[in-house]
Amino acid sequence: MSVTRRTATNVLLDTALKNFYGAAEEMGLSENLIAILSSSERRLEVSVPVEMDDGSIRVFKGYRVQHSSAIGPAKGGIRFHPDVDVDECEALAMLMTWKCSLAGIPYGGAKGGIACDPLTMSAKEKERMSRAFAARIAPIIGTWQDVPAPDVNTGGQEMVWFMDTISKLRGHVEPGVFTGKPISYWGSKGRTAATGYGVATCGLELLRALGKEPKAATVAVQGFGNVGSYTASTMVEAGAKVLAISDVTGTYYSPKGIDIKKAFEHISSHPKKLLEGFTCDGCEKKGLSDVLFAECDILFPCALEGAINDKTVGEVKAKYIVEGANGPVTPEGDAILDKKGVLVVPDFLANSGGVIGSYFEWAQNLSGYFWTEEEYNSRLMHIMKGNFKLVWDYAQSRKVKMRRAAFMAAIQRVADVERLRGVFL
Ligand code: GLU
C-alpha cells in the first residue's frame, strides 16, 4: 500500500516530517503506523485579547499542538516569540513525542506558543497575556491531559500565572498541570539548571566515549539563556575551557576562557538578562554568528532553530556538535557536517534533561512529596547517561548517525504502544 507523505512549507515542520519518514522507513514501520504518527492529534489556534498599558487592546495569536498522547499526557513547552506559528508548534510537538519516548518517561508530545515580542512588553502586559492564553487553552490541558512547561522566553513566572489561572478556573490547586514552576510554588529543586546540566552531561559522555579528557576540551556555547548558561557552567565545573558565549547582543570570546561566574552575575543584574556590556580577562566582542565559528572541540548551539544552515555551516570549525536548542541544525547543514566528519549529538537526546526534570517535578506534585536537589541531580545524571549510551550503542551497532539512531529508538517505543492500544483513540 502506498501512502502519501506529508510535506510542509514551514522548514522546521518539513524537516521533522522528513526525519520521521526517513527513520520509519529504515525501521520498516507499517504504513498504518507511519500515517498515524506523521499526523498530530490536535492543532488548536486561539485569539488572546490583552489590554495593553496604554489602554488599547491587542489580540495575539496563540497555539497549542498535541502531536501524540499514545504513551501518556502530552508534554512540551510554551514559547513567546514573534515567529511562533502553528506549523512551528507542530514540528516542535513531534520532537517532544520522540524526546519523551527516548527519555523513557510516560508522556506524549505537545508544544504551544504566542506570536508576540515579549522583550517589548511590560510585566503586567505579559501577565494579562499569559492568563488569557491559559484560559483559552484550558479545555485541552490538565495533569493527565497535557502538561505545558517553559520554552523560549518563558520561565517560572509565566508558569505561576498559567497555573494560578487554571487553578482558579477549576476551583482547586492543580500543581501538576504545568512544570518548570518556581521552587517556592510547587516547583522542584534542580529544575532550572536541568536542561543545561543534561546538555553538558551529553557533551561529557561524548568525550568519555571518544576517550578524551574534559580538562583538555575547549567549547563554545551559542545562547546564554536558561539552556546555554547552565551548559557552560557545567562544562566549566568539569574542567573544560569555554572560549566563547553569545546572546542576541553578540559573541564574547576569550582565548583564556570566559569567566562564566562573572557572566552569570552580569546577566542577573542586566534589566533584560543580557550579556550586553559583558567583559572578562582577554575578552573580545565579536559578531552574532562568530560563536558558531569558534575553533573548539565542542560547539553547543543553545539558541534558536536553524542556526547551523547552508550559509553558516562552511565556517564551523568544531569537531563535535551537541544540540542544546531544538532543531539548531538544518538538514542541509547536517549533510555538510556529515561530509566534514563532524559528529552531532541530536537535540531530543541532548536537551531532554529539561523534560526529564519536568517529569521529576510532576511526580513530586502528584505525590506531594519533595526531593532534595542531590536526589534530583543524581537521578537526572543517571537517566541522561543511560540514554546517551543507548543512542551511542544503537548508532554503533547499526552503523547509522546518532540522529537517525535516536529517531529509530524513540519511534519504536511509541509504535509499540500504538500497536498495543489499537487505533480506537
Ligand atoms: N521546553 C522544553 C523542551 O523543549 C521542556 C519541555 C517540558 O519540560 O515539558 O524540551
Side-chain angles (χ1 to χ4, degrees):
M1 180 178 56
S2 105
V3 176
T4 51
R5 296 285 183 252
R6 276 181 78 193
T7 56
T9 45
N10 177 289
V11 178
L12 203 63
L13 182 55
D14 203 52
T15 306
L17 289 165
K18 285 205 177 86
N19 278 330
F20 166 71
Y21 288 132
E25 282 161 10
E26 189 163 340
M27 293 161 68
L29 201 69
S30 76
E31 286 295 336
N32 288 337
L33 279 169
I34 291 181
I36 291 172
L37 295 176
S38 60
S39 323
S40 284
E41 291 177 8
R42 247 182 223 104
R43 286 167 43 119
L44 175 71
E45 177 183 313
V46 294
S47 306
V48 187
V50 180
E51 183 177 344
M52 307 304 280
D53 291 344
D54 65 5
S56 65
I57 304 283
R58 276 188 65 188
V59 182
F60 295 90
K61 282 270 171 262
Y63 310 94
R64 185 73 183 167
V65 178
Q66 296 165 345
H67 169 249
S68 171
S69 61
I71 290 182
K75 187 89 190 76
I78 289 174
R79 57 173 61 182
F80 291 174
H81 194 275
D83 297 340
V84 165
D85 71 23
V86 69
D87 282 347
E88 181 194 71
C89 288
E90 181 171 14
L92 295 165
M94 289 184 88
L95 206 59
M96 286 308 301
T97 302
W98 314 133
K99 194 183 297 191
C100 294
S101 170
L102 183 69
I105 56 179
Y107 296 131
K111 198 72 149 208
I114 305 179
C116 66
D117 185 359
L119 296 180
T120 62
M121 296 171 75
S122 73
K124 277 286 157 206
E125 288 171 340
K126 280 193 277 186
E127 173 173 358
R128 289 193 285 269
M129 183 177 74
S130 302
R131 289 185 182 277
F133 178 68
R136 285 284 196 249
I137 65 167
I140 66 158
I141 60 167
T143 306
W144 293 102
Q145 211 175 347
D146 178 354
V147 183
D151 200 83
V152 175
N153 290 326
T154 58
Q157 177 62 78
E158 285 76 14
M159 298 309 116
V160 172
W161 291 328
F162 291 150
M163 176 195 147
D164 186 59
T165 304
I166 297 297
S167 298
K168 285 190 169 107
L169 285 173
R170 300 199 176 151
H172 58 85
V173 183
E174 192 170 335
V177 62
F178 288 94
T179 57
K181 303 177 295 292
I183 294 169
S184 54
Y185 194 55
W186 293 93
S188 175
K189 289 190 180 127
R191 175 64 182 89
T192 311
T195 313
Y197 185 68
V199 173
T201 301
C202 279
L204 296 169
E205 286 304 289
L206 175 68
L207 292 174
R208 210 155 67 99
L210 296 166
K212 295 185 189 299
E213 276 298 315
K215 285 195 173 52
T218 52
V219 312
V221 183
Q222 184 206 24
F224 208 72
N226 179 261
V227 183
S229 59
Y230 287 103
T231 299
S233 62
T234 310
M235 290 307 293
V236 167
E237 273 162 35
K241 191 196 267 188
V242 178
L243 294 178
I245 57 173
S246 78
D247 69 6
V248 290
T249 65
T251 295
Y252 301 81
Y253 176 86
S254 170
K256 296 183 172 170
I258 295 284
D259 184 340
I260 296 297
K261 211 166 147 245
K262 207 169 164 207
F264 263 91
E265 283 161 15
H266 186 92
I267 57 163
S268 68
S269 58
H270 187 283
K272 293 200 163 151
K273 308 272 170 271
L274 295 174
L275 288 167
E276 188 179 30
F278 171 76
T279 188
C280 64
D281 195 15
C283 185
E284 192 190 329
K285 171 113 190 268
K286 294 190 172 200
L288 215 53
S289 302
D290 284 319
V291 67
L292 302 173
F293 312 142
E295 207 149 319
C296 61
D297 294 305
I298 310 182
L299 169 64
F300 292 95
C302 300
L304 283 174
E305 50 257 24
I308 300 170
N309 51 45
D310 48 350
K311 290 182 193 69
T312 54
V313 69
E315 286 189 67
V316 170
K317 296 170 199 78
K319 297 189 191 80
Y320 318 107
I321 291 179
V322 179
E323 298 181 330
N326 289 317
V329 179
T330 63
E332 298 77 27
D334 220 8
I336 297 171
L337 288 175
D338 194 36
K339 276 203 200 103
K340 286 170 75 161
V342 179
L343 195 152
V344 180
V345 179
D347 46 8
F348 66 99
L349 166 64
N351 69 27
S352 61
V355 74
I356 295 168
S358 280
Y359 166 55
F360 292 167
E361 178 180 335
W362 183 79
Q364 293 171 72
N365 291 162
L366 292 185
S367 66
Y369 178 79
F370 290 94
W371 308 354
T372 63
E373 191 159 353
E374 291 70 39
E375 279 172 301
Y376 186 101
N377 285 339
S378 77
R379 285 179 186 169
L380 181 59
M381 169 89 85
H382 181 75
I383 295 182
M384 289 301 307
K385 283 186 175 175
N387 290 348
F388 180 91
K389 186 170 174 349
L390 185 135
V391 176
W392 180 265
D393 291 349
Y394 202 111
Q396 301 284 316
S397 65
R398 289 178 174 72
K399 306 215 173 338
V400 291
K401 286 193 287 173
M402 284 188 88
R403 192 186 308 282
R404 178 55 64 88
F407 265 102
M408 290 168 88
I411 293 168
Q412 192 62 55
R413 180 167 177 236
V414 185
D416 288 347
V417 174
E418 287 282 5
R419 256 188 237 108
L420 280 170
R421 295 184 58 188
V423 285
F424 178 75
L425 307 175

